[in-house]
Amino acid sequence: MKITKRISVIVMIILITVASIPGKFDTNIGGILPVTAAANILSQDGIGYSGSIAGNEVVGTAFSGYQDWPSGFSKGVSAFAGGIFDGTSIWMIPYNADQLIKINPATGEMTGFSDWPVGFTKGSNAFAGGVYDGTNIWLIPYSANQIIKVNATTGVMTGFSDWPGGTKGSDQFIGGAFDGTNIWLTPYSGSRLIKIDSVTGAMTSYNSWPSGTILGSYPFYGSIFDGSSIWLIPNGTDRLIKVNPDTGDMIGFNNWPSEFTKSANAFFGGVFDGTNIWLIPNNATHVIKFDTTTGDMTGYNGWPSGFTMGSQSFAGGVYDGTNIWLVPSSASMLIKLNATTGEMTGFNNWPNGFTKGNSAFFGGVYDGENVWMIPFSADRVIKFGDSSSSDLSGLTLSSGTLSPAFNTTITSYTVSVDNEVANIDITPTLRDAQATVTVNGVVVTGGQSQAIPLNIGDNTVTIGITTNNSNTKTYTITVTRVAANTITTNTVNFDKYSSATGYQDIAVQLNLFGNTLQQIEINGNMLAANKYQINGLGDIVTLKKEYLETLNPGTHSFVFKFSAGNDVALTITVNDSTPPNNAITPNPTPSIPDVILPPTFDEVPASPSVPNTETIPEVASPPPIKEAPVIPTEPIAEIVEELINLSDIKTDYWAYEAIKSLISKGIILGYPNNEFRPNELISREHIILMISRLGLLTIKRDVSEFTDIPSDYLYYDEIRLAQLAGIIDGNDGIFNPKSPLTRAQAAKIIVLLFDFKIKGLESFDDVSKNAWYFPYVRTLATNNIVLGDNGHFYPNQPITRAQFATMLYRALQLFEKENNN
């Protein structure tokens, strides 16, 4: 805001700070989880977007001033234009100040940042407003030639200036919004709305203003994102503008209340309460509430006793979940407006030594407890509300990782540590340095570590905070120390001579302590799944003699790896007492190098995660299966009878009924050597072969063929049909037919094949709502097709033949039932 422009315009510009508040709370914006407006609000003032903060009505009526500026910094006039809160610190956006200033809200300590990027010169009237995207602070350029991104952790700055058309004028933007991906710059003297991709920095401009719109001079002061649309707050323009962030289409609203006349320089920023946008008056006579669902406008001008509504009154505001707070520019009071009743209350008991003049503040910040007013002409930052805080500002551990990640508003955490960790150091950091903190009842100093001894299993650590005015808060950490995995024996001998007493399977007992066996390695390489068996409880592993006889004489190291805790080793010494004239040359079959799964469908150990992508992620491809399942040719009755004679499937086997049913329908059979191999990992091509036999696949799209499936491939027709039906997508044009599938990938195929719908809210602890596979797993869970294991689904674990057969069997039962009805 240059002095050469009208003073009123200058003041209004300064007062704007960019804010965006998602109104669609079923989306994830800026890395912030979805919440309802009543429980969690998005801190904003139309000029600065701060992200999600728990709704907590401001209490107390005290004003506190902070002016302990960093060394080398002088607070001049028209210093800052807006501020944002990153969940820990308040950042004041420099207008004429030469530094970006960070404030610790608990102590008032200030830190300056001025390491501007190459090619950028910090002149006067540089920025007006800012946006926090969950990681970075974005400084909105007013006269600056670049938009500046600042890493909130490191302070590193990056500039972006690839403006559409090549140039950026002066006095161009005031405030901005964030839609979860893009930064939107609100036009001030310019006539174009600019969108910046927060990842690439690419810029796009929009100016398709609604028919009849009169932009006027300095048309807007800030903007808001309600989770669906961008809303431009009118200053000089005659209407409120709604922008579709996907298309740039615009709609105008100017059905002003009958008792209200929209003047020039009317509003300065706004706040969003989850349904309504509240326009903060600059020269306007009323606060205007705009219902985003109906388009209705309501005016409020019941100003408190002793308050006169003059010009250039307010510059931005904040919402605490209950009240709208109007930040004074030239007004003499901070105004609280009840968002339900419209009742207004004024506060002007300014701190000693402070004189509230004109153009005092430009924008505000809500930190979950207090209102902070950002100084423009004022000589200090002003905080309003209870000065004490019962929050932690940080929580660190010497071992393990907090789940979820620390956030001052989250009070319950879990962490798992190895058996070797007998003690853990916990360091709580106080937001209010005057508060008292205890760890398991022992008073400690904030910012210093406290050693906690750990027993095997769950250990509860309670951190209590008490403020000087007796406010309290408790944080709880459940630290799980896993027990040491053990094995019944660490050494054993094996004789390769089939007639010797030492020629036998080797069975070892594992003591798991709640852990699960994930894989076995031999001499540093993964042991194939068909080389050993695991009992139903997962604690007895049997190494098959047919496999052991293939090993060369000598010592072989088998290492057992678990979901948590230490590895255990087994050394097998192989010798060969076979008489020379009866030497036997073993002829082992090719193996599938992967880990065996426990033989129950819903008790599968966790495995390393696969990439979160909406296409089916690929898994490392094993060597080809030597014996592909064959399509039965004998009569159905004989097929069912043959199942009883499968050497590895008995009538009491847990998946017997599912396998029998699928064989009876000609969907699946075994191998020519009279084995079904239930614990063997099933390949992608064999799954497609099974589902193609159901006759449900129809062509729904036209896509390029997989590059690794030529037209003469054995299962080309089945794989190509599944691809055209939209059941499979592959990865970068590759299908990897021999690779195994994970449980999550199998869930997606089943849901797409049968077109099942979600029927409830059931889910699993290890299935995040943000995971690509979440809707597919929830669909199967709510249809009782998958049951889980103690609340876990293990989505990234490879699936076996028996497990997929059971999943397909249950899905087919439901499908037939629904179609018969």
Side-chain angles (χ1 to χ4, degrees), residues 496 498 546 549-552 576 578-580 582-588:
K496 293 166 64 76
S498 59
E546 291 81 7
E549 73 175 4
T550 68
L551 299 177
N552 294 324
D576 189 356
T578 305
N582 292 322
I584 300 174
T585 302
N587 184 25

Side-chain angles (χ1 to χ4, degrees), residues 284-591:
T285 57
H286 294 61
V287 180
I288 298 296
K289 179 180 74 173
F290 176 80
D291 189 316
T292 58
T293 60
T294 66
D296 294 337
M297 295 190 183
T298 308
Y300 297 87
N301 66 342
W303 303 105
S305 175
F307 177 81
T308 301
M309 173 63 189
S311 62
Q312 303 165 15
S313 297
F314 304 100
V318 296
Y319 175 57
D320 66 6
T322 302
N323 305 295
I324 310 296
W325 295 84
L326 312 183
V327 176
S329 175
S330 295
S332 61
M333 295 181 177
L334 170 69
I335 300 295
K336 178 178 74 173
L337 187 156
N338 186 288
T340 302
T341 66
E343 180 184 2
M344 297 186 187
T345 309
F347 301 89
N348 63 350
N349 51 318
W350 303 103
N352 292 334
F354 175 76
T355 301
K356 166 65 184 68
N358 291 331
S359 306
F361 304 107
F362 191 127
V365 168
Y366 172 66
D367 67 358
E369 291 188 346
N370 308 293
V371 176
W372 293 77
M373 289 162 272
I374 307 302
F376 186 61
S377 295
D379 66 345
R380 67 197 71 183
V381 186
I382 297 293
K383 178 182 73 175
F384 177 83
D386 188 347
S387 60
S388 62
S389 171
S390 57
D391 288 340
L392 289 179
S393 61
L395 183 58
T396 58
L397 285 71
S398 59
S399 298
T401 302
L402 286 175
S403 178
F406 176 75
N407 183 297
T408 188
T409 62
I410 299 174
T411 58
S412 182
Y413 300 89
T414 60
V415 63
S416 179
V417 298
D418 289 338
N419 174 260
E420 292 80 5
V421 181
N423 296 276
I424 190 169
D425 293 337
I426 295 180
T427 306
T429 304
L430 292 168
R431 188 165 166 190
D432 181 355
Q434 304 304 314
T436 300
V437 59
T438 61
V439 177
N440 283 353
V442 178
V443 176
V444 299
T445 301
Q448 294 186 3
S449 62
Q450 175 72 9
I452 303 295
L454 299 177
N455 297 318
I456 301 297
D458 291 344
N459 300 262
T460 300
V461 181
T462 301
I463 301 171
I465 300 95
T466 303
T467 65
N468 289 338
N469 61 354
S470 300
N471 287 337
T472 62
K473 192 169 187 176
T474 301
Y475 293 80
T476 301
I477 309 173
T478 300
V479 183
T480 302
R481 178 187 174 193
V482 300
N485 303 305
T486 62
I487 193 170
T488 52
T489 182
N490 295 106
T491 59
V492 69
N493 296 318
F494 176 78
D495 193 330
K496 293 166 64 76
Y497 180 35
S498 59
S499 298
T501 57
Y503 181 83
Q504 57 186 341
D505 295 342
I506 295 177
V508 291
Q509 172 82 45
L510 303 175
N511 295 319
L512 301 175
F513 299 104
N515 303 322
T516 53
L517 177 65
Q518 288 196 314
Q519 67 185 48
I520 304 174
E521 293 182 355
I522 174 173
N523 302 328
N525 299 311
M526 186 181 297
L527 182 63
N530 61 348
K531 308 304 183 188
Y532 60 96
Q533 291 180 333
I534 299 179
N535 71 331
L537 298 177
D539 61 349
I540 296 180
V541 177
T542 301
L543 299 169
K544 300 178 182 179
K545 58 189 178 185
E546 291 81 7
Y547 159 65
L548 295 174
E549 73 175 4
T550 68
L551 299 177
N552 294 324
T555 59
H556 299 269
S557 176
F558 292 77
V559 178
F560 296 75
K561 294 182 175 292
F562 305 90
S563 58
N566 57 296
D567 300 341
V568 295
L570 169 67
T571 299
I572 298 180
T573 301
V574 177
N575 55 66
D576 189 356
S577 64
T578 305
N581 59 343
N582 292 322
I584 300 174
T585 302
N587 184 25
T589 58
S591 62

